[in-house]
């Protein structure tokens, strides 16, 4: 089963909230992998938010929003490995993207197509090194309306 592009775009833009039990995000400076439940405001759709910091390179972060458990709608890779778009991709075909970039669902490609942030004007600008700022920008881009408290911890 695949999502149409129109449906994927609709799902990403839907207004979302965290489950009430998620009133705090502990955003560690050490390696972590967390999953949070999101839900559509005034609707039935459920989403998953995955947050991850690399164990080897703690400057590397990954945030992704998933719909219907398996469809990655958006994934932000901060200071991650370079990515090469497929030769037949609808955006920057065959190009190798280095540094921070965002993957957006594309029909027939899933999340294999990446964009430079300057190619996505809806994504708010963030200062390098502002990890919490990146998270907030990603949540807003993903349609999250009310943010829980984000607490930065060392461990």
């Amino acid at each position: 089963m695949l999502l149409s592009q129109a449906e994927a775009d609709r799902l990403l833009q839907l207004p979302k909230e965290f489950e009430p039990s998620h009133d705090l995000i502990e955003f560690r400076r050490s390696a972590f992998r967390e999953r949070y439940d999101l839900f559509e405001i005034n609707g039935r759709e459920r989403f998953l938010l995955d947050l991850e910091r690399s164990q080897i390179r703690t400057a590397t972060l990954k945030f992704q929003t998933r719909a219907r458990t398996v469809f990655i709608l958006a994934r932000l890779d901060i200071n991650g490995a370079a990515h090469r778009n497929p030769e037949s991709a609808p955006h920057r075909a065959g190009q190798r993207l280095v540094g921070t970039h965002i993957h957006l669902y594309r029909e027939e490609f899933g999340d294999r197509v990446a964009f430079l942030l300057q190619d996505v004007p809806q994504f708010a600008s963030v200062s390098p090194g502002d990890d919490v700022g990146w998270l907030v920008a990603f949540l807003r881009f993903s349609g999250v309306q009310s943010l829980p408290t984000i607490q930065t911890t060392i461990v």
Side-chain angles (χ1 to χ4, degrees):
M1 180 176 120
L2 296 175
L3 284 179
S4 70
Q5 190 61 55
E7 180 68 356
D9 292 345
R10 183 187 76 79
L11 289 169
L12 183 61
Q13 294 170 6
L14 281 175
K16 301 168 190 72
E17 287 188 337
F18 278 82
E19 284 287 342
S21 63
H22 300 311
D23 58 349
L24 173 70
I25 293 177
E26 287 191 34
F27 198 75
R28 293 186 290 283
R29 295 201 186 278
S30 59
F32 67 89
R33 180 178 285 169
E34 300 289 336
R35 176 172 296 150
Y36 296 91
D37 297 310
L38 302 172
F39 64 94
E40 174 191 2
I41 298 172
N42 301 321
R44 300 182 329 174
E45 291 285 349
R46 297 281 192 201
F47 302 88
L48 294 172
L49 171 69
D50 302 309
L51 308 178
E52 182 178 333
R53 184 182 296 275
S54 172
Q55 189 167 7
I56 297 168
R57 290 183 55 218
T58 57
T60 301
L61 290 164
K62 177 175 82 174
F63 309 142
Q64 71 182 16
T65 304
R66 293 186 285 148
R68 301 173 186 161
T69 308
V70 297
F71 297 108
I72 297 171
L73 301 175
R75 181 177 79 236
L76 180 63
D77 291 332
I78 301 168
N79 299 319
H83 170 83
R84 183 174 303 280
N85 279 341
E87 291 295 330
S88 59
H91 179 76
R92 293 187 181 265
Q95 288 189 19
R96 183 174 183 263
L97 307 181
V98 179
T100 299
H101 56 273
I102 189 165
H103 293 253
L104 298 174
Y105 180 93
R106 289 296 173 253
E107 193 171 359
E108 298 181 25
F109 293 92
D111 66 328
R112 293 179 298 154
V113 178
F115 296 75
L116 295 174
L117 293 177
Q118 67 251 27
D119 296 338
V120 185
Q122 308 90 319
F123 198 92
S125 178
V126 178
S127 299
D130 182 2
D131 295 348
V132 172
W134 283 112
L135 176 57
V136 169
F138 182 77
L139 293 172
R140 294 288 185 221
F141 179 78
S142 296
V144 177
Q145 302 298 303
S146 299
L147 302 183
T149 300
I150 301 171
Q151 180 178 336
T152 303
T153 61
I154 296 173
V155 180

